[in-house]
Amino acid sequence: MNLLMLTKFYPFGKGETFIENEIGIIAEYFESITIIACDTDKKDCITRTLPENVTAFKVPAKSKYRDLISGLNCLFTKDKIVCTERIECRNLARKIFLGYFEAKSTRIYNSIMTNGYAEKIIDEPFAIYSYWLFVTARVGILISKKRQPVYKITRAHGYDLYEERNELKYLPYRKLFLKEYDEIFPCSEHGTVHLKCKYPDLSGKVKTSFLGTKDCGVSEESRDGLFRIISCSRVEPVKRVHRIVEALHILENSDLNIEWIHIGDGVDREKIERKAVKNLHNIKYRFLGNISNSDVLDLYKKQPIDLFVNVSSSEGVPVSIMEAISFGVPVIATDVGGTSEIVIDGVTGSLIDADFTDKELAEAIRKFFKEENFSVKRKSCRKYWEEHFQADDNYHQLYGFLKMKYHLH
């Protein structure tokens, strides 16, 4: 059995690092795998080591303007699938978004077929694996209309799952995806409940499949009087990294000796760095930008880390938090999406309300700084990770289930 896997970036560039934990296990279950990254930069090259039976191709992204213009034709098309979805669009903005979505998906599909990227796979019995319940899922359906796969599966995470998080409160082809795909695997119980409640007649297809991280050992806690905080995310509005600066500013003149390290880059980085320069004078800080996943793991291995902080307004189940607790690092995080499935009060850290105040975050940090049984909390974090988020366990469970259900050899 072969596999056609549709991603956004992986294994090109730096995105979707969490697939690195999964690909080695997937390769054990399929004879040959073709990965097609559907939204890469034109200059991106393969940056991750792949198993011998895995081949990767890329479809470079085009400007959103070009896909938007192409998508205007969808306002007038007689295509049955598009017309059915267009009925779900209650205003012009949603119809335009649907057109953009369909045009982008069709462009990617045409590139795949014209260049023969999937030819090696689809000439033999194969399965389709879309990593997102979004454009890649639509591309998977288009391919399946040309060559029938044995089965189709898709994951679902956050932005691709919750309509209310979208600016238009709308995501295209929800019903189509649930009807067409044989299995839908949200990465959180929260996401599974969301889909099952919204589409009860198709709920049998929906099953939670946690992501996971590899065992890289346990990090040390600081013993030099410096309390080290780490955060790891894109630097954009939904991640609210600026709120960490504001909370740390409250602790400026306290008795806390703190260093804060942020990993990640994005549109708000310069603004937040300026904010840190202005507000953090007694607290050390470092912005490391985008670094490879292996470098992130090396940081945990080589340097003591005492606390991980995530203040996003929207999440699935963050892989960055899985990595932190795997090293025995407690977490403060906002109670959004599936975060409560990994950040357990008194076990792996502390949840704060999604609408927290700067003072509440500051007090949560202070509480961890003053914690007397810190080594006990670290052991508790590690144990919870071992029981729920080990990559080997979670991915073998998923592919073992598929092998049994679809009689893979």
Side-chain angles (χ1 to χ4, degrees):
M1 174 76 73
N2 295 329
L3 180 69
L4 177 61
M5 184 176 182
L6 302 168
T7 69
K8 288 182 67 177
F9 313 115
Y10 180 87
F12 298 86
K14 296 180 179 180
E16 297 172 324
T17 57
F18 27 84
I19 300 177
E20 295 173 29
N21 298 319
E22 185 175 353
I23 190 63
I25 294 171
I26 303 176
E28 296 177 21
Y29 288 84
F30 295 92
E31 294 176 16
S32 181
I33 299 172
T34 293
I35 301 175
I36 302 177
C38 299
D39 206 16
T40 69
D41 189 282
K42 189 174 183 179
K43 297 179 181 178
D44 283 345
C45 58
I46 294 176
T47 54
R48 270 64 73 88
T49 302
L50 298 174
E52 290 184 0
N53 62 335
V54 177
T55 304
F57 301 98
K58 66 178 180 180
V59 178
K62 299 292 184 182
S63 72
K64 289 185 177 180
Y65 177 76
R66 287 181 62 179
D67 285 333
L68 186 63
I69 294 301
S70 298
L72 293 178
N73 292 328
C74 288
L75 295 175
F76 310 102
T77 183
K78 294 182 180 180
D79 180 272
K80 185 177 179 180
I81 288 177
V82 179
C83 289
T84 299
E85 181 65 21
R86 202 164 56 205
I87 295 171
E88 300 290 323
C89 299
R90 299 178 181 176
N91 57 50
L92 181 59
R94 290 184 179 184
K95 287 183 172 67
I96 291 173
F97 181 49
L98 169 63
Y100 160 78
F101 189 97
E102 181 68 12
K104 181 174 181 177
S105 302
T106 302
R107 173 178 57 77
I108 294 168
Y109 164 75
N110 287 336
S111 180
I112 291 170
M113 302 310 289
T114 301
N115 290 290
Y117 293 155
E119 196 170 303
K120 176 183 175 183
I121 292 293
I122 64 180
D123 281 345
E124 302 289 339
F126 76 105
I128 288 178
Y129 174 15
S130 167
Y131 202 77
W132 302 93
L133 196 65
F134 205 64
V135 168
T136 56
R138 179 66 178 124
V139 174
I141 290 173
L142 291 170
I143 292 172
S144 70
K145 298 304 180 186
K146 183 78 171 180
R147 301 286 180 86
Q148 185 62 44
V150 175
Y151 68 88
K152 303 188 292 294
I153 64 171
T154 179
R155 284 198 182 274
H157 303 262
Y159 85 91
D160 59 333
L161 175 59
Y162 301 104
E163 296 92 332
E164 62 271 17
R165 298 183 187 180
N166 182 272
E167 186 177 342
L168 299 174
K169 311 300 180 188
Y170 164 70
L171 295 174
Y173 297 126
R174 302 296 94 183
K175 292 179 182 177
L176 176 70
F177 291 164
L178 266 74
K179 287 179 180 178
E180 288 284 334
Y181 278 83
D182 298 289
E183 314 283 347
I184 296 91
F185 295 110
C187 66
S188 69
E189 286 290 346
H190 187 278
T192 294
V193 171
H194 172 82
L195 286 179
K196 285 190 171 185
C197 289
K198 193 149 190 178
Y199 306 100
D201 55 325
L202 297 166
S203 63
K205 294 184 172 186
V206 183
K207 178 181 175 63
T208 303
S209 177
F210 288 128
L211 302 181
T213 57
K214 295 179 180 178
D215 187 354
C216 297
V218 179
S219 69
E220 297 292 326
E221 62 181 282
S222 297
R223 303 185 187 280
D224 56 1
L226 184 62
F227 188 76
R228 294 175 172 87
I229 299 171
I230 193 168
S231 53
C232 181
S233 70
R234 303 185 307 278
V235 189
E236 55 187 46
V238 70
K239 298 301 180 180
R240 302 192 293 194
V241 179
H242 66 284
R243 299 294 300 278
I244 299 176
V245 179
E246 290 161 3
L248 291 176
H249 176 62
I250 294 174
L251 301 173
E252 265 281 282
N253 298 314
S254 66
D255 58 346
L256 279 62
N257 187 16
I258 291 174
E259 179 183 38
W260 169 46
I261 301 167
H262 183 76
I263 299 169
D265 209 341
V267 294
D268 287 347
R269 180 175 174 181
E270 288 187 13
K271 181 171 65 176
I272 291 172
E273 287 193 20
R274 290 196 299 269
K275 192 178 190 71
V277 169
K278 181 179 179 181
N279 291 284
L280 303 181
H281 307 293
N282 300 321
I283 290 177
K284 302 178 181 69
Y285 59 88
R286 287 186 281 158
F287 291 91
L288 301 185
N290 282 334
I291 61 176
S292 68
N293 187 243
S294 60
D295 287 340
V296 173
L297 300 177
D298 281 342
L299 182 66
Y300 279 107
K301 293 175 189 176
K302 296 176 181 178
Q303 178 173 326
I305 300 293
D306 302 297
L307 181 66
F308 186 96
V309 177
N310 181 307
V311 292
S312 294
S313 61
S314 174
E315 285 288 0
V317 177
V319 173
S320 59
I321 295 181
M322 294 178 199
E323 288 175 341
I325 66 170
S326 78
F327 283 98
V329 177
V331 177
I332 294 173
T334 41
D335 188 5
V336 295
T339 301
S340 62
E341 295 165 38
I342 187 170
V343 182
I344 314 298
D345 283 322
V347 179
T348 58
S350 179
L351 281 175
I352 58 175
D353 191 80
D355 297 321
F356 68 94
T357 65
D358 297 335
K359 184 177 180 181
E360 287 171 337
L361 177 56
E363 287 304 310
I365 293 172
R366 186 195 300 275
K367 183 178 178 181
F368 275 97
F369 184 89
K370 299 292 185 180
E371 174 64 50
E372 294 181 358
N373 298 316
F374 213 67
S375 60
V376 175
K377 284 194 175 296
R378 293 178 70 94
K379 289 178 181 178
S380 179
C381 287
R382 172 71 181 186
K383 185 173 185 293
Y384 193 82
W385 172 81
E386 290 174 345
E387 294 172 349
H388 296 88
F389 297 106
Q390 282 220 54
D392 284 0
D393 292 347
N394 290 355
Y395 296 137
H396 277 301
Q397 184 180 47
L398 171 62
Y399 292 102
F401 163 76
L402 293 172
K403 181 177 181 178
M404 180 175 64
K405 184 168 182 177
Y406 295 100
H407 309 291
L408 305 185
H409 299 288

